Amino acid sequence: MKFIVSSSLFLKQLQQISGVIQANNVLPILEDFLCEIENNTLTVTATDLETVMRVQLEVEAKEQGKVCIPAKILIDSLKNLPDQPLTFSIDKNYAIEITSDSGKYKVMGENPDNFPKEPVPDDATEFLMTSRGLVTAINKTLFAVSNDDLRPAMTGVFVELTPEFVQFVATDAHRLVKYKRTDVMSPTTDSFIVPKKPLNLLKNALPNNDDDITISYNKNHLFVKHNTLQLSCRLIDARFPDYKVVIPNDNPFKLFVSKIDFQQALRRVSIFSNKSTNQVALTIAGNQLQLEAQDIDFSFEGNERLSCQYNGDDLKIAFNAKFLIEMLNAAETQEVVIELSTSTKAGILKPTEQMEGEDLMMLVMPLMLNN
């Protein structure tokens, strides 16, 4: 088996899927790329048993065949080669010889029959979404996903499908993000939970444009297809918590504040906060917002004042500054509104303007005030 491929194009395609491969795998073959040649098309697959990613690219080849190539040495060698055609020759014992303009490199491949089989999209339900829409949904929710393996349902993004809209929800029990798109329709009402890792891989591999993406799913797996890139992953088999019960029905007080000014003030003041809680207290009175943080153990203290627009009773409430900073990153407007009621009820943060077909709502639980 022999094929000729552009070194830079090959590297670019491999980098899209290399994030699937973990170090220290139980099965050594999981550290390989499966390379398959058919009709001058090279299909490269990477898997960690839970997630499978594959890309296709055009190559010059006279015959069909497949081989497993160690991923790390292949990527490292391609990174250090200038853009040029490379010839890959594979013998019947899976020994691989790579020939460049100025050198020859040898590496031992593995039997492709030992590579894990990927899931098949049987009984799958399918819908379309733009690449930009999916990337935006991932960016606006992924940061709020929990890392607590004892609560597996929260370690992924909950996707709710209806014929009218698609909604993405993420929570770690301290904050919650709900992002709705009304420009995406599903043939059925359904829901599933997608793990964090494949969403991270998709976010980095998909273009931020209006290309159509085909998303399909069945009971156990999700399948995403965009041009020459495909991903499949196992869904999280758990029941997502009833998030609607934590969203307050009535938060009558509204605080309007500049997103950038608020975020920068939080960054500065939180330096002086307790490192385990990142607590910053907000005191809101009239058109003034005061931020205070302290770490009693080290006698650190920081406070700042900001001008704001506030409709409501004077209020003092504390939040985790790190959570607020991350939530403000997801709001792409110059001004944000925070809806509040009492110092013990969740605050709701929203952009003051929403893009057409989008609805973003972020909730954050308050911390107990230091007296």
Side-chain angles (χ1 to χ4, degrees):
M1 173 179 151
K2 190 176 183 180
F3 64 91
I4 300 167
V5 62
S6 152
S7 60
S8 59
L9 179 64
F10 198 18
L11 175 63
K12 189 180 169 192
Q13 298 291 338
L14 292 180
Q15 283 174 326
Q16 284 191 302
I17 64 170
S18 62
V20 177
I21 297 171
Q22 298 173 333
N24 309 318
N25 278 299
V26 187
L27 301 171
I29 201 152
L30 295 178
E31 292 172 15
D32 293 0
F33 289 123
L34 171 64
C35 297
E36 300 175 84
I37 298 275
E38 194 172 332
N39 303 329
N40 286 330
T41 299
L42 170 61
T43 303
V44 188
T45 308
T47 183
D48 65 359
L49 295 179
E50 296 289 314
T51 304
V52 182
M53 266 185 111
R54 61 201 317 214
V55 283
Q56 291 184 320
L57 63 157
E58 295 301 309
V59 295
E60 278 183 53
K62 289 195 170 73
E63 54 198 309
Q64 305 188 88
K66 50 187 178 176
V67 65
C68 287
I69 306 177
K72 188 177 186 309
I73 196 162
L74 180 57
I75 284 187
D76 287 350
S77 58
L78 290 172
K79 276 181 185 169
N80 289 292
L81 283 167
D83 185 19
Q84 59 184 296
L86 295 178
T87 304
F88 284 73
S89 305
I90 299 107
D91 69 18
K92 62 180 188 300
N93 298 317
Y94 309 112
I96 302 150
E97 187 175 271
I98 306 165
T99 310
S100 71
D101 289 346
S102 54
K104 272 189 180 175
Y105 316 95
K106 290 184 178 176
V107 61
M108 197 60 212
E110 289 192 61
N111 186 338
D113 296 338
N114 298 331
F115 199 80
K117 300 284 180 280
E118 61 184 282
V120 183
D122 290 334
D123 302 325
T125 306
E126 187 177 289
F127 63 96
L128 292 178
M129 190 170 182
T130 65
S131 184
R132 182 180 282 116
L134 183 56
V135 170
T136 304
I138 295 170
N139 282 330
K140 289 194 187 301
T141 51
L142 202 60
F143 69 89
V145 167
S146 173
N147 295 315
D148 183 0
D149 292 331
L150 296 174
R151 292 196 270 191
M154 292 189 192
T155 61
V157 172
F158 181 56
V159 182
E160 284 184 291
L161 306 170
T162 75
E164 288 83 42
F165 61 83
V166 170
Q167 193 157 266
F168 299 80
V169 184
T171 183
D172 61 4
H174 304 289
R175 57 191 164 168
L176 181 142
V177 181
K178 179 164 70 78
Y179 177 69
K180 181 156 103 180
R181 287 196 76 100
T182 54
D183 59 351
V184 185
M185 284 124 226
S186 158
T188 54
T189 299
D190 217 332
S191 63
F192 50 82
I193 307 170
V194 189
K196 195 173 186 174
K197 180 177 175 178
L199 290 174
N200 252 322
L201 292 164
L202 281 172
K203 179 181 81 168
N204 296 326
L206 291 173
N208 197 8
N209 63 19
D210 292 325
D211 286 359
D212 269 343
I213 285 180
T214 307
I215 300 173
S216 52
Y217 64 94
N218 57 23
K219 191 164 171 280
N220 299 313
H221 291 92
L222 177 75
F223 306 88
V224 180
K225 188 168 190 238
H226 169 256
N227 294 340
T228 58
L229 178 79
Q230 288 179 44
L231 175 141
S232 61
C233 70
R234 187 181 293 280
L235 296 169
I236 294 173
D237 183 16
R239 189 187 175 93
F240 200 75
D242 183 4
Y243 66 88
K244 294 182 181 79
V245 298
V246 300
I247 301 172
N249 292 325
D250 184 32
N251 270 15
F253 308 156
K254 289 183 171 49
L255 166 69
F256 295 86
V257 65
S258 157
K259 171 193 151 169
I260 290 171
D261 292 349
F262 188 34
Q263 198 173 39
Q264 289 176 344
L266 281 167
R267 284 200 174 106
R268 290 189 292 266
V269 172
S270 65
I271 293 166
F272 302 91
S273 67
N274 180 295
K275 291 298 162 272
S276 62
T277 63
N278 298 300
Q279 177 170 312
V280 171
L282 310 181
T283 306
I284 318 154
N287 287 337
Q288 214 153 58
L289 166 64
Q290 182 160 344
L291 293 83
E292 297 170 84
Q294 58 177 331
D295 189 339
I296 296 160
D297 297 341
F298 295 96
S299 301
F300 293 166
E301 201 172 311
N303 62 72
E304 280 197 30
R305 271 199 190 85
L306 279 180
S307 60
C308 66
Q309 190 187 329
Y310 180 59
N311 313 323
D313 300 341
D314 291 358
L315 180 66
K316 185 170 186 179
I317 187 167
F319 293 112
N320 180 319
K322 181 172 165 280
F323 292 170
L324 284 179
I325 289 165
E326 288 181 335
M327 288 161 76
L328 288 164
N329 278 336
E332 293 172 20
T333 48
Q334 291 184 337
E335 197 178 43
V336 293
V337 57
I338 303 173
E339 299 173 1
L340 302 159
S341 60
T342 68
S343 62
T344 55
K345 277 197 176 169
I348 289 177
L349 191 150
K350 293 178 180 175
T352 49
E353 295 168 28
Q354 305 266 13
M355 296 282 283
E356 193 180 341
E358 288 186 344
D359 183 28
L360 175 66
M361 187 229 65
M362 296 174 277
L363 174 147
V364 59
M365 299 304 289
L367 300 175
M368 195 182 290
L369 282 156
N370 294 332
N371 292 321

